[in-house]
Amino acid sequence: MNARGLRRGRGDDGTSLVLAMAFLSLLGVLVASLLSVVYSGTKTTVAVRDHNSNLYGADGGADIALQMLRANNTYCPDVGSAQSMPSQSIGGRTVALSCQTISGTVGGTGGGASGVYAVVVTGYNAPNGSAPDFSKLVDIDGKDKDGNDTVRVAGGHMFNAGKFNFKSDAPTLIIDKNLDQYNASTPYCTDDQAAAASSGQPQVTGTWTCRTAGTFPVPDPNPTLIVPTAAAPAAITTGTCTVLFPGKYTSDPSFNKDLQYYFASGVYYFENTGEVKLQGEVFGGQPGPGITQAFTNITPCSSDADANLLRPGTATGFGVQFVVGGNAKLSIPDEKNAKVELFARVPLVPALEGTAGVTVYAPRTAGTNYAAWNSDRAVDIKGKDPQLIIHGLVYMPTSKYDEQYTLGNEDANAASIFDGGLVVQRLKIKFKHDATNLTFARIPETAATTRTTVVTATATDPSGGAPITVQAVVQLGTGSGTPATILSWRKT
């Protein structure tokens, strides 16, 4: 073979290698593309699966919340702000639940804020102390010499987060309706039921039910709150009568035990005033429709009409609301002429105020223009002589209430001293003399109506994905056996 033919043959030797390398490169591109598609598809599948799991969790949570509302009237019983419900674990997702009633009522509220309960003993931690002693959350003491003295919970049910403690010869605690009580790691409820079988303390006319915190929250009405921001106008005194006006107070207005006082109807916010001593004869606002003055032997020294003549436009609506923030507290000193009657607040324009029917409010947490309450007692009664009658809800869920003597019936034709219900951390009653009764009551109950409630369920992805929220508007009947009607069901 000549040299030219040899060179031509060698020139074709590299073609196969080039083709092989080109094929391998193309194959690599195809494999990479396929892997990218597979990976992307896997990610999409995981994302879709997580989204669906969140959606199923939120849907399931909304269903559970609906069943809770039908079975337990303490959840959103009346029109008010949103209320948290126990969270659920569904499919590995934590689902937060809440409800808010926008119309209707479960009944028994009487226009007030604490639902059907006359007394709620929360056991919440005190602002300036350790957790409460649940072994003595309701403490009844004293000497009932003739066996006729009573502490009565009337006009509504009672809730106790801990144990009852009755001293020897203590007055009888009578609960006219139902009693709900927690059984914790220490079986307070079942222990108290066993003790009551032999001692008769307490006497429960209705049903006594042992509850668990996981499924039965503290029946906290959590009323809404709007406080005045402008300083209150200066009080005006004429003779022995002093008229005070709604607004914000940062110091004690100062009361004299020998004088008379009238609080014009409206909202009063006491912020870091320390102790405000309500001495002398004190009336808070004018009574609303259907409310009768309890004191029959004294009359208010002024009126809303007079207050508006003194300072035009200051008195509005009916009754008063006293809000205590920071270290403020209301006290009634041990004086025979200390007689205080406060009427339930009925606002003239509800949208400009918080929940109606609340007379004393010690907020657990700070809010818009008001501080959290952090004193020792929001309401403090001292000694056996003063008399206090409150027609609206007393809401002080982190405050102790220690009543050292009995009040309310010696010089006042009063059925109760807390006529609108009491929400308190711990309750202690100590009698020192005979033949006087102490009653906690709700104002007259209303009939149940169809209730429209918004249910919200939010499922959270543990891997950090976007949460899913389901919001349903449901219409509830007047009993647990009445089917619920779903008006809307929306997912976001």
Side-chain angles (χ1 to χ4, degrees):
M1 183 178 294
N2 58 33
R4 181 179 296 176
L6 180 61
R7 286 196 300 271
R8 186 180 297 117
R10 288 178 177 175
D12 294 334
D13 289 345
T15 303
S16 297
L17 179 60
V18 171
L19 291 173
M21 292 181 67
F23 175 75
L24 290 174
S25 298
L26 178 61
L27 181 62
V29 170
L30 290 173
V31 169
S33 298
L34 288 172
L35 288 174
S36 176
V37 170
V38 170
Y39 178 69
S40 176
T42 301
K43 287 182 65 179
T44 301
T45 300
V46 172
V48 170
R49 186 178 65 230
D50 288 345
H51 175 85
N52 288 338
S53 295
N54 285 347
L55 180 58
Y56 298 148
D59 275 331
D63 281 330
I64 291 173
L66 176 56
Q67 298 309 315
M68 287 182 179
L69 283 168
R70 293 182 61 195
N72 189 340
N73 279 344
T74 63
Y75 294 116
C76 298
D78 305 291
V79 175
S81 56
Q83 175 184 340
S84 296
M85 304 173 75
S87 298
Q88 304 294 315
S89 179
I90 302 175
R93 266 64 179 165
T94 298
V95 184
L97 306 179
S98 66
C99 61
Q100 182 175 13
T101 293
I102 56 178
S103 69
T105 175
V106 300
T109 63
S114 65
V116 296
Y117 288 90
V119 176
V120 174
V121 185
T122 68
Y124 293 153
N125 288 348
N128 295 325
S130 59
D133 180 1
F134 285 95
S135 67
K136 295 181 180 180
L137 211 54
V138 176
D139 195 355
I140 310 294
D141 193 3
K143 295 294 182 181
D144 183 7
K145 295 179 181 179
D146 60 4
N148 293 324
D149 289 352
T150 63
V151 176
R152 183 180 293 272
V153 177
H157 310 307
M158 180 174 183
F159 171 85
N160 181 17
K163 184 175 178 59
F164 292 96
N165 183 59
F166 297 94
K167 298 294 178 62
S168 176
D169 297 327
T172 303
L173 173 62
I174 301 174
I175 301 168
D176 284 348
K177 294 196 172 184
N178 298 337
L179 169 62
D180 291 313
Q181 185 181 5
Y182 276 167
N183 250 358
S185 55
T186 302
Y188 297 125
C189 183
T190 51
D191 286 352
D192 284 343
Q193 286 179 330
S198 58
S199 68
Q201 287 278 30
Q203 292 182 10
V204 181
T205 305
T207 302
W208 188 345
T209 307
C210 296
R211 304 288 189 177
T212 58
T215 58
F216 193 94
V218 173
D220 185 347
N222 192 26
T224 57
L225 181 60
I226 300 175
V227 301
T229 56
I236 296 178
T237 300
T238 303
T240 61
C241 181
T242 297
V243 179
L244 297 98
F245 303 96
K248 181 177 180 179
Y249 291 78
T250 55
S251 61
D252 179 7
S254 297
F255 297 80
N256 186 301
K257 66 183 181 64
D258 297 319
L259 300 181
Q260 297 171 297
Y261 298 87
Y262 182 79
F263 285 90
S265 294
V267 180
Y268 294 74
Y269 175 43
F270 300 95
E271 182 174 270
N272 289 315
T273 58
E275 185 176 19
V276 176
K277 294 182 179 180
L278 300 177
Q279 302 185 84
E281 295 178 0
V282 179
F283 281 90
Q286 64 180 0
I291 304 297
T292 301
Q293 180 181 312
F295 284 118
T296 57
N297 61 336
I298 58 175
T299 57
C301 69
S302 190
S303 66
D304 281 358
D306 290 341
N308 282 327
L309 287 175
L310 295 172
R311 298 197 184 278
T314 52
T316 62
F318 300 92
V320 295
Q321 182 179 88
F322 290 167
V323 181
V324 288
N327 66 7
K329 63 185 272 189
L330 305 174
S331 72
I332 294 84
D334 189 13
E335 299 286 348
K336 288 185 177 181
N337 52 354
K339 294 175 172 56
V340 180
E341 184 165 2
L342 307 177
F343 294 103
R345 177 64 184 151
V346 181
L348 178 64
V349 183
L352 300 180
E353 294 187 19
T355 303
V358 183
T359 300
V360 178
Y361 197 133
R364 295 175 62 188
T365 57
T368 303
N369 299 319
Y370 63 86
W373 176 80
N374 60 19
S375 188
D376 56 346
R377 288 168 178 79
V379 177
D380 192 12
I381 313 296
K382 300 180 178 180
K384 63 182 176 63
D385 290 320
Q387 296 182 58
L388 171 66
I389 301 169
I390 300 180
H391 293 273
L393 173 67
V394 177
Y395 182 74
M396 45 186 193
T398 55
S399 172
K400 298 177 182 178
Y401 182 75
D402 294 348
E403 182 57 74
Q404 296 300 320
Y405 296 82
T406 55
L407 306 175
N409 292 328
E410 291 181 353
D411 296 322
N413 184 22
S416 65
I417 65 165
F418 290 104
D419 201 29
L422 174 67
V423 179
V424 67
Q425 179 221 29
R426 179 178 183 268
L427 179 62
K428 181 177 181 180
I429 308 294
K430 186 174 182 179
F431 279 46
K432 282 292 187 181
H433 56 87
D434 196 42
T436 307
N437 297 327
L438 176 62
T439 307
F440 298 91
R442 288 291 299 149
I443 48 186
E445 297 186 358
T446 57
T449 62
T450 300
R451 195 172 22 139
T452 301
T453 304
V454 179
V455 172
T456 303
T458 301
T460 303
D461 187 349
S463 63
I468 295 290
T469 296
V470 166
Q471 195 167 66
V473 180
V474 297
Q475 193 173 71
L476 302 161
T478 57
S480 59
T482 307
T485 301
I486 297 174
L487 303 179
S488 69
W489 194 282
R490 184 169 62 91
K491 306 174 180 67
T492 58

